[in-house]
Amino acid sequence: MMLTYLRQTTSLNNLRSKRSSGQIATLLILAMVVVLVMILVTVNLGQLSLTATTLSNAADSASLLLASQLATKSRVFWETLGGTTRKETTEGWGTWDWVELVVMVVIAVVMTLLCNICSHGFWALVVSATLAAANKLYQFSVAQDMRAEAFTAIAKSLSGLPERWGIREGVVFLALTQTVADPRKMADTNDSDGNGNTTEKVPVFQDWYYRRVIALKEVLSPLAGEINNFINGPLTSFSDFATKQYTQYQVPFETWDDGGYTTVYTTATGPFYTAPESGGQDGNVIELVKAIEIPVPDIVSVLQVFAGLATSLKAQNYSDRLLESWESWIKWFYNDDVDTDYYDTLKTNLVADLDNLKAAIESKRTQLAQCNYQWQSCITDYDGLPQCTSCTPPICPEYAYKTESTNSPCQDGSFGTIDTDLDDEFAAAQASIDALLVGIEGFRNSILTFYNYMNDLLASISMSTSGGLNPVTYSWPDALCADDSDCHSISVDVSHFELAWIESGDECTERSLGMMGLIGGGMCTERKYWLELKDYTDNGDNTRVKITRADQPDAAKTGVGALGSFNPFGKGEITKVSKAAYSYNYVNIVGKE
Amino acid sequence: MVRLTTHDPRPTTQTAQATLEITLALISVLLLLLGSLKLFLWVNQRLVQRHQDYENSRVSAGTSFSETQVDETAYPELNIFGK
């Protein structure tokens, strides 16, 4: 009865009816629909603005935290050097100057060590205080559900990481706690806040981050070690091997001289060295292919890539910088998705070219003319000296032998030569190519072994379980997500940054006159010693934090609700970037996106 | 000559009353909608401008000697009934 009355009152038919009752109610309901739509749009815009502001705040505070920690370290060293970035002294100083310098060095070393282990105290305090402050300031995130003891426990846990990673993870943690809006809770079975209570309910994020730090601690050291091993082992070996393929190099060997062994050097030539037209070395491939007039493949330019690769990677701080960017540079070597990595191009280009070259050389050899030889026979005369005479088969004694070929390049059975002596340059060249092929295959296997080992290690810190190395991603589900999917995510990317350090060195500033009055040949009479503060400032390019929030709700569930299809930004992502410059005396935000 | 209107059993006074009421109601609803629209536009313009100002102040807010102040007088005023 009531429903019937309501339906009659609100029916649009009332507007066409001559009946007076219900017409105004219908109009009001129509008006309310319009007003509700406007309210929904306003709420959506407000939500979007709030999310963007939260991300901006998080990015700014994270970049400031990063720059602040780096600036603090710079300041410590700057104070150590007596309020300067370069401290110099010369041998002409008095005793107390020397004492001062020695004390400076000792203090600098101690401060460096302290800052390396300061994570056990100072940095933990800084991070903990910052996170606690952030917790009070920003209430639209998991931070509001995390107790202060959880922040302290995680800050302490971060202190066990290597210094650079401790700083980075502190920044990541700050950014995530301000932006992750995962409402889920779980029993604290891992005691992530260290209070001994394993039955209390804590945010899922808190437990996730606790497990991430543990995984990081377990994996960082072996990862860095394996990168070190790969670069100094297989990569350096192959780099040297590749270089020797197309250059001349010195080979040491020991010789007996004056009652002792002496090391002397002889020049060796790589098989792909661009040899002179004649007088080369047996086994030189380039000389052979020129002599038999087949195209010279471009092997050298490919080898040159690897010759410079180890050097360029070693030039970096590979134990750290290469670790954090491993996922990008390993793709040069191995990438399942494309065929342009070194692992594939070595096979498809270099190995294929070398196989073709081997076939072309053998094919050309079989087409060469039969070798004509110079024969000679030798007998020993009455004085015991050999007496040799040339002969031409079949008019040759049985003991006659071949001395040289007269129509090179030529072939004879499996033999081939390009010069007059009877060395088989074809076999030697094929052996050189085979050696290169073996070297390439060995290096390819090393790449694959390295890649698989790293992947196995990284599985424990993978994107899906622990968020990845850098960027770090945390995902969570809610009612708008498709079944069993985490459709909301926050990704924090911290740029590579440098830590301040002190470089020491010395140089001769004055020399005595050498023999015959020549300058430069004498003893150093004055030497300058110096300590210099390095990497103590940055313009923001290396202290950059990027935070991305991505929302991919289920399309079937977003047709209703204030954040549903009315919201043009309901699906997609918002990215905020903040850059902070620092030195030993300031920290400023200098850029944002 | 055929009359196109339907027969209305109500007295003429009641029909006039309904017409008057619906006219007043239409005007009221229209005013309500216009007011809501004005409010809607004002709120959203303010939201957008405040967010833009916030974004523009991020760099200066992150410096040591920032004196940047948001000038709220530049924001649009709420004039439901026009200027």
Side-chain angles (χ1 to χ4, degrees), chain A residues 210-225:
Chain A
Y210 173 78
R211 286 184 285 108
R212 170 182 167 77
V213 176
I214 291 175
L216 268 178
K217 284 180 181 173
E218 288 174 354
V219 87
L220 281 179
S221 181
L223 279 174

Side-chain angles (χ1 to χ4, degrees), chain A residues 177-380:
Chain A
T177 49
Q178 289 183 29
T179 51
V180 169
D182 183 2
R184 296 173 300 157
K185 289 198 172 184
M186 60 177 285
D188 189 15
T189 50
N190 291 316
D191 194 19
S192 57
D193 49 13
N195 63 357
N197 186 348
T198 57
T199 56
E200 63 183 336
K201 294 287 184 184
V202 296
V204 171
F205 168 80
Q206 180 179 314
D207 182 72
W208 173 86
Y209 198 80
Y210 173 78
R211 286 184 285 108
R212 170 182 167 77
V213 176
I214 291 175
L216 268 178
K217 284 180 181 173
E218 288 174 354
V219 87
L220 281 179
S221 181
L223 279 174
E226 189 59 22
I227 289 174
N228 203 348
N229 290 341
F230 175 72
I231 291 176
N232 286 315
L235 182 59
T236 300
S237 298
F238 187 70
S239 178
D240 294 342
F241 176 72
T243 307
K244 287 180 178 176
Q245 296 298 309
Y246 60 88
T247 56
Q248 285 187 313
Y249 53 94
Q250 299 296 309
V251 179
F253 68 93
E254 290 185 334
T255 181
W256 182 260
D257 184 23
D258 292 337
Y261 282 105
T262 308
T263 302
V264 296
Y265 291 88
T266 183
T267 301
T269 304
F272 290 88
Y273 177 71
T274 307
E277 292 299 325
S278 61
Q281 180 175 310
D282 288 349
N284 186 294
V285 179
I286 300 298
E287 185 182 8
L288 178 78
V289 296
K290 282 181 179 173
I292 59 178
E293 295 177 343
I294 61 174
V296 181
D298 186 16
I299 304 291
V300 173
S301 65
V302 182
L303 293 175
Q304 280 174 332
V305 171
F306 294 95
L309 200 57
T311 308
S312 64
L313 285 178
K314 278 182 177 180
Q316 302 186 45
N317 182 6
Y318 50 84
S319 64
D320 200 348
R321 182 189 284 264
L322 291 182
L323 173 56
E324 68 189 56
S325 60
W326 183 82
E327 283 162 327
S328 60
W329 65 262
I330 189 58
K331 289 177 181 170
W332 305 346
F333 292 91
Y334 190 85
N335 187 351
D336 267 337
D337 302 331
V338 298
D339 298 330
T340 53
D341 55 48
Y342 294 142
Y343 183 81
D344 289 326
T345 51
L346 278 171
K347 180 79 175 175
T348 54
N349 294 342
L350 206 51
V351 171
D353 283 351
L354 289 169
D355 285 339
N356 290 337
L357 181 61
K358 283 185 67 178
I361 290 173
E362 180 59 14
S363 171
K364 187 72 178 180
R365 190 190 69 79
T366 57
Q367 296 170 20
L368 293 176
Q370 180 75 24
C371 285
N372 294 326
Y373 300 108
Q374 184 75 44
W375 291 74
Q376 71 177 10
S377 59
C378 299
I379 57 172
T380 307

Side-chain angles (χ1 to χ4, degrees), chain A residues 16 75 112 146 171 176 258 271 377 381 399 567 580 586 590:
Chain A
R16 292 186 300 176
R75 183 76 184 191
T112 308
M146 292 174 65
V171 172
L176 286 177
D258 292 337
S377 59
D381 62 13
Y399 51 84
N567 188 350
Y586 72 87
V590 291

Side-chain angles (χ1 to χ4, degrees), chain A residues 18 20 23-24 27 31 34-35 38 41-42 45-46 49 52-53 56-57 60 576-578 588-589 592-593, chain B residues 6 8 10 18 21-22 25-26 29 32-33 36-37 40 43-44 47-48 51 54-56 58-59 62-64:
Chain A
K18 289 288 183 179
S20 56
Q23 291 196 349
I24 296 173
L27 281 172
V34 176
V35 171
M38 291 192 286
V41 172
T42 306
L45 198 62
S49 175
T53 305
S56 297
N57 281 335
D60 291 345
K576 294 292 177 184
V577 177
S578 181
N588 287 330
I589 289 183
K592 50 95 182 174
E593 292 171 19
Chain B
T6 55
D8 190 343
R10 290 177 296 181
E21 283 178 5
I22 199 73
L26 272 173
V29 169
L32 175 69
L33 280 177
S36 302
L37 186 65
F40 167 73
V43 167
N44 285 282
L47 263 176
V48 171
H51 190 76
Y54 162 77
E55 282 293 327
N56 292 335
R58 278 175 60 196
V59 172
T63 55
S64 308

